[in-house]
Amino acid sequence: MIKRRNFWITVSLLNLCIVALYGFSLRTKFLVPVSFIDYRNVLSAHSHFAFGGWVALSLMILFVYVLLPSAFSRRRLYQWIFAAIEITALGMAFTFPFQGYAGPSFTFSTLFLLAAFVFCWVFVNDIMLAKRHRVITILAIAALASFVLSTLGTLGITYVLLSKVPDSLLYRDSLYTFLHFQYNGFFTLSVFALLANELEKKLTPQLEKQLYRFTLFLCLSIPPSLFLSLLWHPHQPLFQVLAVAGCLLIVATLYFFFKLLPAVKESVRTFHPIAKTMFWMAMVSFLIKMLLQTGTLIPDLAHAIYGNRPVIIGFLHLVFLGLVTFYILSVYIQQNLFAMERSFVRAAFYVFAAGILLNELFLMTQGLGILLKSASFIFPWLLWGAAAVLLSGSILLAAARLTSKPVK
């Protein structure tokens, strides 16, 4: 079972290299007229493979090997599902750059979703039979339910693209629906399902009560907070009401998040220093994400943000890299998948973390410059440099994993 886990985690890290390579290619294309790179097609490959080949695969691997008892995680069916997810994700990675949204890429996208749906069905049945703590079960099931709900946005986007009938309203709503249920739903809830598993080891009645309340408000905040992304619709009082409700639930979630912090701090006290640093970076990213969400309730701020491409990309990377990727890497370290005593391995994590922080800093500074009408030509070059650091860091992480001795 451990060999299987190690194999799939190695695959996920190799996938991260491909994601970083596409990101670097996009930054290069922005600066240099590289004829063989179609920006929109590579962007589609980058985003689809980032979702499928890195985050979704990594979280599903951790769900199986961290949240499920060995009697369930050793099932051969999960190996077939992971293989199907990997093959279809690679199919998207190597068809989108050349054809964009066409028959082959649509086929691989559809097959990926089917494989992911099978995983959701099998895992939900297994975790309910495993009788894990109710908080872990609720968060894991809610995370996968959010993944399924995000496909409503995918269907809307697919309809607009296949019908070739321009409908910017449907496309925009579908895109925000997909992103919301992926980023604020699947990604975020998965992180806290894994964290709840860590906290379960030291549960007291008081901590259990606080953790349950945090879980309840976090899950309840997901559906109405979608409308914080849809406030650009004019004359929709129901959207306003739901957005305010979502905002209030986010505030309640943050209240119980702060109540949990002492227990969380104690729980990660024995983590490896690098794992601990990445864990707290993930938690800071979560806090910033939630605060930014509530801020979009202010109309002027929301219009400024949604009309500012670097800020939008910065927010997406804050969750994708800051929250989820940092957390996944923290868990990978704690699963003894890296020979952390080696300076080369530690350097790999430092380089990759530096790439994330530089990327976020430059995106947000560029966005602020646009808001203040003082944008500079230097930012595309700085972002290219950050992408180069991310690519280098991802390759070093994969090399560090491949050269680390297998865990017995």
Side-chain angles (χ1 to χ4, degrees), residues 9 21 37-38 42 71 173 226 264 266 280-281 309 330 347:
I9 286 176
L21 176 62
I37 296 178
D38 184 299
V42 174
D173 284 349
L226 165 65
V264 171
E266 177 62 25
W280 285 116
M281 285 181 174
R309 190 170 183 270
S330 175

Side-chain angles (χ1 to χ4, degrees), residues 275-292:
K276 189 187 299 184
T277 299
M278 293 198 160
F279 172 86
W280 285 116
M281 285 181 174
M283 293 301 101
V284 169
S285 299
F286 167 74
L287 177 60
I288 296 172
K289 176 194 87 73
M290 299 292 268
L291 292 174
L292 288 174

Side-chain angles (χ1 to χ4, degrees), residues 133-153:
H133 191 278
R134 63 173 179 171
V135 167
I136 298 172
T137 303
I138 290 170
L139 285 167
I141 292 176
L144 296 179
S146 294
F147 180 93
V148 173
L149 285 172
S150 73
T151 60
L152 295 174

Side-chain angles (χ1 to χ4, degrees), residues 321 349-362 385-391:
L321 293 173
F349 282 96
Y350 292 142
V351 172
F352 190 75
I356 293 177
L357 296 175
L358 288 173
N359 184 69
E360 201 61 32
L361 173 65
F362 296 151
V389 176
L390 277 170
L391 176 58

